[in-house]
Amino acid sequence: MTDARYASGPPPRNSIAPTATQRPLPIVDLSQPDSRFVIHIPFKATTLGAALGTAERLADFLSFIPEFEPSDTAVSLEDDQLNQHPVYCGRILPAHGRCLYLYGHADPCSTT
């Protein structure tokens, strides 16, 4: 079912007003170049391994977006979001970037 508020298309960025049941949006200083946000996208999986595999495929699919940082991808249970399981190693490398090998890999870290 389509939300009637968006019948003429999505609202412009930063123009979504909270409804009566929502909290107002916090003021965020976006002038900082290193501001980072997290997108929470729930999905169903039968095991942690299946969830990690789904997250890996999703991160790989989204890697064409320059702002996306796949090396920090992690999975958690919906009711236990503080207990995150990393998908990728994510170790900061001295030359540039973070390791993009799967978490727990045995080979030397690499960004490719």
Side-chain angles (χ1 to χ4, degrees), residues 40-49 51-52 74-85:
H40 298 272
I41 304 174
F43 62 94
K44 293 181 182 180
T46 56
T47 65
L48 176 58
L52 290 168
V75 170
S76 68
L77 287 169
E78 185 175 31
D79 296 335
D80 188 15
Q81 293 184 19
L82 295 178
N83 186 15
Q84 298 183 3
H85 303 272

Side-chain angles (χ1 to χ4, degrees), residues 14-35:
N14 300 325
S15 69
I16 300 174
T19 64
T21 59
Q22 293 176 321
R23 295 178 296 188
L25 295 174
I27 296 173
V28 177
D29 181 7
L30 296 178
S31 65
Q32 300 300 317
D34 59 350
S35 295

Side-chain angles (χ1 to χ4, degrees), residues 58-96:
L58 183 59
D60 185 51
F61 177 76
L62 295 175
S63 64
F64 72 93
I65 300 172
E67 297 83 6
F68 185 69
E69 297 183 23
S71 62
D72 289 337
T73 303
V75 170
S76 68
L77 287 169
E78 185 175 31
D79 296 335
D80 188 15
Q81 293 184 19
L82 295 178
N83 186 15
Q84 298 183 3
H85 303 272
V87 174
Y88 297 102
C89 172
R91 180 176 288 138
I92 298 173
L93 300 176
H96 171 62

